[in-house]
Amino acid sequence: MNQRSLVVVSAGLSQPSSTRLLADQLSAAVVTEAGGHGLSLDVRVVELRDLAHDIANHLLTGFPPADLKEALDAVAAADGVIAVTPIFTAGYSGLFKSFFDVLDKDALTDKPVLIAATAGTARHSLALEHALRPLFAYLRAVVVPTAVFAASDDWGSDSVEGPLRSRIDRAATELTREMERRDPVSVTDPFALTMSFEDLLKN
Ligand SMILES: Cc1cc2nc3c(=O)[nH]c(=O)nc-3n(C[C@H](O)[C@H](O)[C@H](O)COP(=O)(O)O)c2cc1C
């Protein structure tokens, strides 16, 4: 099986979090879909709630604390990203935006991204299209066509297996297709020695 890495960014604040629940359902669907295409996924979840102070410190100092740096590096090295935010005041949450503000502006270039959101009401579902999609377009990510929105009503027993389920599955298929058609991401270390130490001494 070919190996790929999937990073799931979840910006929910509640515990338990409906945003995390949606993120988990999306990643499970992508793992299943990818498995059917001969891809084995290494999944890493980045809970922004746990990094909130680090993100604020990075914004203030310009330097990422270790845990945040590790999360930012994981996103940059991922073959695919699932990004899920709660809707706050008709848009993405401030924490979600701040994480992508401190991410290197080239880190998502040509990277397949699945966008999703949770909210109290379905009235704000277009926030995915007028807020999240432009953000990731600016970062030159390849955002899959299906964006997944789950309002409180979607978590009712019928709809979890109905419309929400089919949106999750369709988005998972689209993300898998984009990951499959690309070579695995290889991150080069700018400080790595490109020649032997012996050769280096000769120059
Ligand atoms: C500060 C704040 C603002 C919110 N604004 C909206 C909103 O504009 N529209 C909406 O539908 N829900 C809104 N909500 C509800 C959240 O989007 C919803 O409860 C979300 O699923 C919470 O995610 P979590 O359980 O992962 O924390 C708001 C919640 C908070 C706390």
Side-chain angles (χ1 to χ4, degrees):
M1 264 202 173
N2 286 321
Q3 194 74 31
R4 294 285 193 286
S5 63
L6 175 69
V7 172
V8 184
V9 178
S10 177
L13 296 184
S14 314
Q15 284 186 316
S17 154
S18 55
T19 306
R20 176 61 187 271
L21 179 62
L22 180 60
D24 287 346
Q25 294 202 359
L26 285 164
S27 62
V30 175
V31 167
T32 303
E33 179 69 19
H37 288 253
L39 296 180
S40 167
L41 295 188
D42 174 22
V43 181
R44 152 122 199 225
V45 179
V46 173
E47 270 285 3
L48 297 189
R49 186 183 198 283
D50 300 334
L51 297 172
H53 294 102
D54 282 359
I55 291 168
N57 283 333
H58 189 356
L59 285 167
L60 294 173
T61 65
F63 295 98
D67 288 352
L68 175 59
K69 179 163 184 349
E70 208 201 314
L72 293 169
D73 288 348
V75 170
D79 294 299
V81 172
I82 296 174
V84 195
T85 180
I87 297 297
F88 281 3
T89 325
Y92 36 62
S93 76
L95 181 61
F96 182 84
K97 176 64 161 52
S98 295
F99 179 74
F100 289 101
D101 286 347
V102 298
L103 182 68
D104 185 287
K105 68 175 175 39
D106 298 321
L108 292 182
T109 300
D110 196 39
K111 201 180 294 295
V113 175
L114 191 171
I115 54 174
T118 62
T121 164
R123 280 193 292 279
H124 287 154
S125 59
L126 281 178
L128 279 165
E129 303 303 331
H130 68 64
L132 273 86
R133 202 176 286 278
L135 167 67
F136 289 100
Y138 170 72
L139 294 170
R140 299 195 299 276
V142 176
V143 184
V144 299
T146 301
V148 180
F149 182 88
S152 302
D153 288 350
D154 282 310
W155 298 113
S157 54
D158 286 349
S159 35
V160 169
E161 286 312 314
L164 177 58
R165 180 81 258 156
S166 59
R167 290 202 300 275
I168 289 172
D169 289 342
R170 192 169 65 224
T173 302
E174 292 167 0
L175 186 69
T176 302
R177 192 164 53 220
E178 292 301 328
M179 285 196 289
E180 191 183 16
R181 66 161 61 133
R182 288 170 169 74
D183 292 330
V185 170
S186 64
V187 178
T188 47
D189 178 354
F191 302 109
L193 278 178
T194 52
M195 60 174 79
S196 74
F197 196 61
E198 200 176 33
D199 288 342
L200 204 61
L201 289 176
K202 282 185 205 154
N203 289 329

